[in-house]
Amino acid sequence: MIISITMNPSIDISYPLETLHLDTVNRVINVTKTAGGKGLNVTRVLHQSGADILASGLVGGHFGAFIQEKLSSEGICHHFFMIEGETRNCIAILHQGKQTEILEQGPSITNDEAKGFLSHFDQMIEQASMLTFSGSLPAGLPDDYYKDMIDLCHKKHKLVVLDCSGRALQNALKGQIKPLLIKPNREELAALLGRNVKNTITDLKEALMSPLFDGIEWVVVSLGADGVFAKHYDTFYQVKIPPIEVVNPVGSGDAMLAGLAQALDYKQSDEKVLKHGNVLGMLNAQEKVTGQVNMQNYRVLFDQIQIKKV
Ligand code: ADP
């Protein structure tokens, strides 16, 4: 079983408007509210691609209950840790071809809650073979909290695939025990290294040879329409994907992470791991709804992906 962790989930509210009028009333008709946050996108994609999945993380208040109800209604198993604070809302206003976002920071986690989740987590991971950690850490948790979670997984021989950025990522990489895989995009990679990274084989290769990545088995750099550049131990791969008609690429990185985790959990070959991840990323980009993939289009995309050792 794969357990997906979302420490700062949200209710993602979408307000489509013809025009956004500032400093006056805007009335919205077609409101959609979904259980959001990167980890829940991963969860939904894993569920659709047939994985045995359990969603966990922190939820609180009525909005936390809403997230759990939404997952249950989709037939997704979950086992969250309850906190006092209220789970956040994130609002996307879609107007004139643009997307204006209002993102709440979310609840602040107390020390007792931080400890409580770790013991909840420690018990829960017995059932897992693989874990995914996605997204930011909520306020109140120390920047090295993912590192503590990785250490607990290591003690029980559970593998971790990590997708976060900024200080949470920097601190997770400082630990002695490393995640199995990280998936920065090019901007996140540049932020991690403190330098610009060009989209060339030479520059990407040099970037991934940084000592920062020592001990991490897989580093997968997602490059949007340009596919992926990846390092598995000392082997470098350039993955080229076919051009596709993109509807909404938001969450494609999460869909890709789901695919990478699933294929690694099934102990697939490097080629299959990279293809499965890219296909799920592309399938997500072809849908309007974030974290949705139409598996009927799977094979045709899978067969068009080209992988080269570089
Ligand atoms: P992130 O969302 O983390 O920034 P990317 O945008 O790189 O991640 O997307 C992850 C993967 O999803 C890509 O490597 C690719 O397989 C697929 N993908 C994303 N955007 C596109 C696109 N415009 N065209 C084709 N595939 C895409």
Side-chain angles (χ1 to χ4, degrees), residues 38 163 183-188 221-228 241-246 249-256 277-285:
K38 287 166 69 64
D163 185 15
K183 190 221 72 65
N185 59 27
R186 199 153 57 93
E187 293 75 47
E188 288 161 349
V221 184
S222 66
L223 302 166
D226 290 329
V228 147
I241 58 176
I244 54 166
E245 202 172 310
V246 172
V250 177
S252 290
D254 305 329
M256 162 171 275
N278 274 279
V279 174
L280 292 187
M282 283 191 279
L283 288 176
N284 176 82

Side-chain angles (χ1 to χ4, degrees), residues 41-42 45-46 48-49 163 183 220 222-228 239 241-262 272-295 297-298 301-302 305:
N41 296 335
V42 172
V45 171
L46 278 168
Q48 290 160 73
S49 72
D163 185 15
K183 190 221 72 65
V220 178
S222 66
L223 302 166
D226 290 329
V228 147
V239 184
I241 58 176
I244 54 166
E245 202 172 310
V246 172
V247 178
N248 173 17
V250 177
S252 290
D254 305 329
M256 162 171 275
L257 191 85
L260 296 169
Q262 187 180 23
K272 282 211 177 127
V273 167
L274 291 167
K275 284 192 177 178
H276 190 57
N278 274 279
V279 174
L280 292 187
M282 283 191 279
L283 288 176
N284 176 82
Q286 288 182 315
E287 297 293 317
K288 203 166 126 210
V289 179
T290 301
Q292 187 152 315
V293 289
N294 180 354
M295 295 303 283
N297 299 333
Y298 184 93
L301 293 179
F302 189 94
I305 296 178

